[in-house]
């Protein structure tokens, strides 16, 4: 019995069996949830269909809760989570199970007396229900593999970005703070300029205006983008490598 | 006779025969059409040369209509579209034939009594006449092949982009909606920020202004651009692979 | 004698001979010219040192003129430009010789009675003296080789960019012209939006403001950047290939 | 004794010995210093905790000074810096030692009577303490190796960028100076536009407004980004090559 349920709720390997239709049902429910969150944010919809949104939310949470409980119950069928207690604890603390829990918990918190203000923040987590998709999408598998394979390079890139960000923001803070106290009154504020510039987004809300600031900003930008933007090539090649690997293991 | 016409209207394989000059004539007509569309949009030109634009439009539609009818008539010479009726139906619903139809249909609709307002929108489709070029340009062949070969990767990238867009826009909506109700009053509005930021275009019309919004926006931007912008490497490598393939098949 | 002069004015192959010092002299003169052009544009410098700038300009033009005449005289020593008249004509119409001519001609035009207004525009060409560097820099060789090797791909990319630019600008023109007549009153004006968006520069002077314009702009941007920005990978790989080739031919 | 100290202060090769804990201590102190610099820039923190910041600064400088003196004393143990005097001089002028010196010198200058204004600028150098991390981070090793290996390509890229920047800024200066004297009154000012555009940051503070300026700006931008942004592929491939090299030398 438990084995049968386990097979159904796990992502299907073949088409047109119970497991496949269960997957499809969950995927559609996730998509509808995302749609509901987006539509609910529209003032016009919220006021008119508030009732429907609430009912759909209750329905979704019930389904997701059942799904979660079934997953916790049947997880011991998986070799990785053997052991009635320890196996289940392992499963519960796995990333996918945490996402499943995150998808339902905000709904149950008011019943155990959580502050309403804190709850409004928690409602924000409903959007992470989209991450439940990770179980069914190859895109997430790909990212996971790239993150694993290129972990070292990613750490280097992240570290490098952080260091460059701190240096250029500090320099810009010293140079521009007197001319633009509203934008460069502290290094943390200057960091916003640093991020917007290094990612080449360039909103245009903050930029150096003093000649020395422009000179430094120009040189810094040219150099930093060269140093930072390029390790991105590493990750890009990571994606390509992974995809080639998969094709090979599929073909042969 | 039909075979002869078919050979002429198909893209030429050798230079300096009738087919080649027919291609040239159509290509020049397409270019002139695009030029006419651009010039007609200029107030000064439209008012003075309205008459010429109309005459050129009529001339173009007549030529394109004859071309279309000839293509439908002769398409059965192509192995892919054999069968007097079924073959022609297949041809008519092929992408290239639909573009050919789209290039002429807005002109004929008023005669069968279509609403004028709807027609003004349809006139917009005239610009797609430029897509008729696809028959003669290698660029489109290349894109088509890359899209075919890398279909899977493109779906993953598109899905990933969509998911990240929804998550970051929702988060930003929750954080900024009170500070900037004009820009973040709904998730769909926040999506505009998401797209402008993720593509690093950064017009500067919408950006987080609250400290928490800037913090979140900064981290999100740095991470998301890393995750999304990079699968672009996949498509880039797709182009390169295709071009290498072509060179090889040309050489040997 | 002519052969000796030819060897001197050609880029040196070994260090520390007359040819090497001649190259160095010309390179320094080019750099000083660029510096002079930049400094002369500063109001403060122009008014105070106008005299010096003029003298330096006369000096530079004399040197560059002598250099140009010597090159024309000696070019026949090069196998490519054999033939006292035809060879020289060939040389004069070569890109490098045209750049050399462009560097001096604006100075001599007033003597043959050219309109002064036209001349002010021509003075602008002085900045192209920097292109005289092409003779001595590997960077230009590299670009030339990449442009040659990847000619086909570059044409495809350029054509593709042009087609996408026309399509998205036309669409945006139809959608936004009523809401923002100052920015989208014609397709040529909308092209400015198209270029600024496709290159992801995003100054923020022009962007869609209507909901339909934002929707279309968002989708278009996401797709177009994917299609256009990526052939850039082709050129990038072209640079890498060329550099690998050079290293190989150097090593073995 | 000196050898023992040398081994401790050098980056540790094995875990859990004295050298490892010394490294950890220095790394944490560097991080705390960066944090202190960032927090001190906040008005609120500076005024309240000024005392603590000063004490921490004194503590840090003492530690870093001792570290520096120990490094100078023990450097002769390293084969590269043999010779009591010449070896130490070599060490002192090595980049890492200069960074170490830069990290402490601003503190000692007032004692030898340096002007206070000049000192405020020097305090800015405190942020370079983050570069002391270079000794312990692989990221810096990677950058150093890429810079070494791809030196030639980097010079070409830098030169190319400089030349393109000068040309496009000069052209834009000639075209826009009358329409926007506040932004394009000199070539140096126009360079700011050039950098912001070429890096595709596009703050939106400066952009062409005249039709001819927009036409030229558009064409220039499309072309220049193609020519400049792409050698970045060279550096990207440099990172990848280096990382593959390291993996190989680790594995075999």
């Amino acid at each position: 019995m438990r084995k049968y349920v386990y097979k159904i709720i796990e992502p299907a390997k073949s088409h047109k069996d119970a497991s496949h239709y269960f997957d499809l049902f969950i995927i559609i429910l996730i998509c509808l949830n995302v749609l509901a969150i987006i539509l609910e944010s529209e003032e016009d919809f919220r006021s008119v269909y508030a009732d429907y949104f609430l009912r759909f939310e209750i329905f979704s949470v019930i389904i997701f809760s059942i799904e979660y409980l079934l997953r916790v119950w049947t997880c011991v069928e998986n070799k990785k989570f053997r052991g009635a207690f320890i196996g289940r604890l392992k499963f519960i603390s796995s990333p996918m199970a945490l996402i499943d829990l995150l998808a339902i918990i905000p709904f149950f918190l008011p019943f155990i007396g959580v502050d309403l203000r804190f709850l409004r923040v928690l409602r924000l987590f409903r959007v992470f229900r989209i991450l439940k998709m990770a179980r069914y999408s190859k895109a997430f598998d790909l990212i996971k593999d790239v993150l694993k394979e290129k972990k070292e390079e990613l750490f280097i890139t992240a570290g490098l970005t952080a260091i460059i960000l701190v240096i250029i923001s500090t320099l810009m803070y010293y140079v521009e703070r007197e001319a633009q106290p509203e934008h460069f009154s502290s290094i943390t504020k200057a960091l916003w300029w640093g991020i917007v510039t290094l990612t080449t987004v360039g909103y245009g809300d903050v930029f150096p205006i003093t000649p020395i600031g422009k000179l430094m900003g120009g040189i810094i930008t040219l150099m930093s983008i060269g140093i930072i933007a390029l390790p991105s090539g590493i990750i890009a090649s990571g994606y390509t490598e992974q995809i080639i690997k998969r094709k090979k293991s599929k073909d042969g």
Side-chain angles (χ1 to χ4, degrees), chain A residues 49 70 76 83 86 100 107 136 158 218 227 245:
Chain A
Y49 302 106
L70 285 178
V76 288
I86 292 173
D100 286 338
F107 188 83
Y136 309 103
I227 295 179
K245 251 190 208 169

Side-chain angles (χ1 to χ4, degrees), chain A residues 110-125:
Chain A
F111 300 112
I112 55 166
V114 171
D115 183 21
L116 273 170
R117 272 197 226 154
F118 176 64
L119 206 74
R120 283 185 65 187
V121 174
L122 266 179
R123 280 182 64 84
L124 182 122
F125 284 105

Side-chain angles (χ1 to χ4, degrees), chain A residues 180-191:
Chain A
Q180 301 186 79
E182 70 281 15
H183 291 312
F184 291 97
S185 67
S186 70
I187 292 173
T188 35
K189 277 196 174 180
L191 270 170

Side-chain angles (χ1 to χ4, degrees), chain A residues 25-87:
Chain A
F25 173 65
I26 294 289
I27 289 172
I28 290 169
L29 193 62
I30 296 169
C31 290
L32 287 177
N33 262 277
V34 171
L35 198 71
I37 293 167
I38 292 175
L39 288 180
E40 206 182 343
S41 78
E42 298 280 352
E43 191 56 45
D44 303 347
F45 277 92
R46 189 169 43 223
S47 49
V48 182
Y49 302 106
D51 215 42
Y52 293 94
F53 282 122
L54 184 65
R55 278 182 218 167
F56 179 68
E57 174 69 11
I58 293 170
F59 171 74
S60 301
V61 167
I62 290 170
I63 300 289
F64 287 149
S65 301
I66 294 170
E67 187 210 351
Y68 181 70
L69 291 175
L70 285 178
R71 284 196 195 281
V72 172
W73 177 49
T74 62
C75 71
V76 288
E77 296 291 334
N78 190 326
K79 279 177 192 167
K80 278 199 287 182
F81 305 116
R82 271 199 186 142
F85 185 75
I86 292 173

Side-chain angles (χ1 to χ4, degrees), chain A residues 13-31:
Chain A
K13 266 149 202 165
S14 64
H15 285 280
K16 300 206 172 164
D17 59 357
S19 174
H20 176 68
Y21 289 113
F22 180 81
D23 292 359
L24 217 70
F25 173 65
I26 294 289
I27 289 172
I28 290 169
L29 193 62
I30 296 169
C31 290

Side-chain angles (χ1 to χ4, degrees), chain A residues 182-237:
Chain A
E182 70 281 15
H183 291 312
F184 291 97
S185 67
S186 70
I187 292 173
T188 35
K189 277 196 174 180
L191 270 170
W192 176 245
W193 166 82
I195 290 174
V196 168
T197 301
L198 274 192
T199 57
T200 77
V201 169
Y203 290 126
D205 54 339
V206 206
F207 47 83
I209 54 166
T210 62
I212 182 90
K214 285 189 173 185
L215 176 69
M216 226 178 63
I219 295 168
I220 278 171
T221 307
L222 279 172
M223 274 175 52
S224 308
I225 288 173
I227 295 179
I228 284 195
L230 297 166
S232 74
I234 294 162
I235 309 169
S237 75

